Amino acid sequence: LDKAERAYLHEDVGNALEELYGEQASEVAGIAPQLAWHFQEARIAEKAIHYLHQAGDRAVQLSANQEGVAHLSKGLALLMDLPDSPERAQQELALQLSLGMAWMGIAPPEVEKAFIQARELCQQTGKTAQLCRILGQLSALHYMRAEHQRARELAEEALSLAQQGEAPLLVALGHWRLGFVLFGLGEYTAARAHLEQMIAFYEPQHHHPLVSLCASDAGLGALAYDACCLWCLGYPEQALQRSQEALALARELDHPVSLADVLRFAACLFNAMRRDAQALKDSAEELTRLASEKLPGWSGTGTRHRGEALAMLGQVQEGIVQMREGMEVEQSIPIRCYLPGALRSLAEAKAKAGRPEEGLANLAEALALVEETDERHWEAEIHRLKGELLLIQSDDAEAEASLQTAIEVA
């Protein structure tokens, strides 16, 4: 076949598939990569871009983020060959948003690049709803980097825009993001007020398909953070019930990124705060298995929490090795949020290993990070542990000062 005949045949096949599956949206999404290929070979760029976008979004919903990045990047490359126009700018905005969501599941530097480009396009096209989403995702990105005050500013701006636009879903997502940022800042009562807005709005079966708006299921995330807030505010029974609710629902809905998010907070962090070493170990191993099978970006978090559990169970040296390994992986992504808490756990293990002076050095690093990032979640516990280690070294006056500070912070 010559090139022209081949192009005509590809167009015929694409049209036939569209006609065959046209009334079945889920079926069309399932064959979107094939449709994109046929129309690309037929040199019908507009249709190829449309189906590459569909294929990319579907891949992200299935947690196949690498595949999603490949489809969406190809769609953007094709789009750039089209003449510049307002329509092209709107298409580019939609593709950049989706690409940013795909990168969020992998967490490389390209995330910020995609969202900043999308924000610039929003300013050109005047798309308020998309701007809300972009600001929200940038907030989450700064949160992961432990840039909490910047994350808070962006989350508040996104929520304000959503409220002005009277978009209930975007308003709920705005409350969710502001809730988890406030949790990191240690403002648990305010965090719960926002998280409860998302939980009240959330209907699992109805809203779960919208994970493409924020890479994971926001309702599940709100339940997970709410469990941690309840524990910190002194409601252990309610906290445990909320944790179990989040985990059961996450396993039922079967979305790997959402399950990983819930395992990290409603299981690993929650069980670490409860000092339930065996439950922490089980949760960390489940997260590690999930990471090895589907989500490599989560491997560091699972390994670090497993090390923490091993140290609590008496396997101190192995625990220290795994904590360090997990922390190195997280920071290479980079994920810096909750690093003060990781350093606190490492310090406790060092003390158990008979090296309290090394533990105190870890705690000094943790407290410096608290001041740098304003991440207050573990602050009281860091001061309490510092007091204990100073007591081991018979520095009673400094130990008492640290314990008093822990009480004041708590």
Side-chain angles (χ1 to χ4, degrees):
L1 297 173
D2 63 27
K3 289 183 179 179
E5 288 176 304
R6 185 179 294 276
Y8 285 131
L9 281 174
H10 276 293
E11 183 179 3
D12 286 344
V13 173
N15 289 334
L17 287 170
E18 278 188 320
E19 186 175 345
L20 183 62
Y21 292 102
E23 295 181 3
Q24 304 170 59
S26 61
E27 295 292 336
V28 171
I31 63 162
Q34 294 95 311
L35 284 164
W37 179 67
H38 286 301
F39 287 120
Q40 188 175 351
E41 292 295 308
R43 299 185 181 87
I44 304 174
E46 292 84 355
K47 281 195 170 186
I49 292 164
H50 170 76
Y51 286 116
L52 283 166
H53 195 173
Q54 273 200 9
D57 282 346
R58 184 171 186 269
V60 171
Q61 288 186 6
L62 296 172
S63 298
N65 291 69
Q66 292 279 12
E67 183 182 333
V69 165
H71 290 314
L72 295 162
S73 298
K74 188 182 292 184
L76 274 168
L78 286 175
L79 186 65
M80 292 302 101
D81 290 334
L82 298 180
D84 194 5
S85 68
E87 291 74 20
R88 194 189 86 167
Q90 290 188 19
Q91 273 190 294
E92 185 184 353
L93 168 59
L95 282 164
Q96 289 286 6
L97 258 173
S98 293
L99 183 60
M101 300 309 308
W103 278 125
M104 282 293 283
I106 310 169
E110 284 84 351
V111 175
E112 188 170 20
K113 180 181 175 183
F115 284 130
I116 287 174
Q117 179 65 24
R119 183 169 61 183
E120 290 173 1
L121 289 162
C122 265
Q123 290 163 349
Q124 292 175 28
T125 59
K127 298 289 186 180
T128 303
Q130 284 89 334
L131 184 57
C132 283
R133 290 179 57 195
I134 293 160
L135 292 171
Q137 290 305 321
L138 284 170
S139 170
L141 187 60
H142 284 284
Y143 168 80
M144 288 168 60
R145 294 174 177 172
E147 297 162 355
H148 293 295
Q149 291 300 346
R150 182 58 180 148
R152 181 180 193 160
E153 291 167 7
L154 288 163
E156 287 174 342
E157 186 179 351
L159 177 57
S160 176
L161 272 175
Q163 289 169 332
Q164 291 170 32
E166 298 182 353
L169 177 59
L170 293 176
V171 169
L173 290 174
H175 282 297
W176 166 63
R177 290 194 181 97
L178 193 49
F180 66 66
V181 171
L182 289 169
F183 173 78
L185 289 164
E187 299 182 26
Y188 305 122
T189 303
R192 278 212 75 211
H194 286 287
L195 294 169
E196 286 178 329
Q197 294 284 331
M198 179 72 229
I199 292 167
F201 174 81
Y202 181 58
E203 297 175 15
Q205 301 304 330
H206 180 63
H207 291 132
H208 177 68
L210 300 174
V211 292
S212 58
L213 290 174
C214 48
S216 65
D217 190 305
L220 289 175
L223 290 168
Y225 278 102
D226 194 45
C228 294
C229 283
L230 282 163
W231 175 267
C232 294
L233 288 168
Y235 300 100
E237 292 179 4
Q238 291 181 51
L240 181 59
Q241 183 178 353
R242 188 67 99 191
S243 166
Q244 292 169 342
E245 179 187 358
L247 285 163
L249 194 53
R251 292 189 177 107
E252 179 186 331
L253 292 176
D254 191 28
H255 181 251
V257 174
S258 301
L259 177 57
D261 198 36
V262 171
L263 283 170
R264 181 180 184 183
F265 292 100
C268 291
L269 178 59
F270 182 67
N271 288 318
M273 291 191 296
R274 296 175 69 222
R275 312 289 297 173
D276 189 334
Q278 189 56 54
L280 173 57
K281 182 173 179 286
D282 294 342
S283 300
E285 288 176 346
E286 183 179 355
L287 180 55
T288 304
R289 284 193 301 272
L290 185 63
S292 66
E293 292 167 5
K294 297 179 179 178
L295 303 168
W298 289 84
S299 63
T301 303
T303 301
R304 173 171 63 80
H305 280 300
R306 187 173 189 277
E308 185 179 1
L310 290 175
M312 290 168 67
L313 290 165
Q315 296 172 249
V316 181
Q317 294 300 338
E318 178 62 21
I320 290 172
V321 169
Q322 291 199 19
M323 275 189 272
R324 282 176 172 161
E325 180 185 328
M327 289 163 68
E328 286 172 7
V329 172
E330 285 183 312
Q331 290 177 74
S332 70
I333 291 177
I335 296 175
R336 292 183 76 223
C337 61
Y338 303 107
L339 182 54
L343 287 164
R344 185 219 67 85
S345 298
L346 188 59
E348 185 176 57
K350 295 275 186 70
K352 282 187 177 181
R355 289 138 56 190
E357 66 288 343
E358 290 183 28
L360 284 166
N362 291 136
L363 293 176
E365 185 182 351
L367 287 171
L369 278 169
V370 168
E371 294 308 314
E372 175 198 338
T373 65
D374 227 13
E375 185 177 295
R376 305 283 169 183
H377 171 59
W378 282 106
E379 186 181 9
E381 176 63 6
I382 292 167
H383 283 292
R384 185 200 64 76
L385 183 58
K386 181 182 176 182
E388 286 199 3
L389 300 198
L390 288 166
L391 277 175
I392 292 172
Q393 295 192 319
S394 300
D395 191 344
D396 291 2
E398 286 297 317
E400 183 177 6
S402 290
L403 294 170
Q404 287 289 355
T405 301
I407 291 168
E408 289 164 10
V409 171

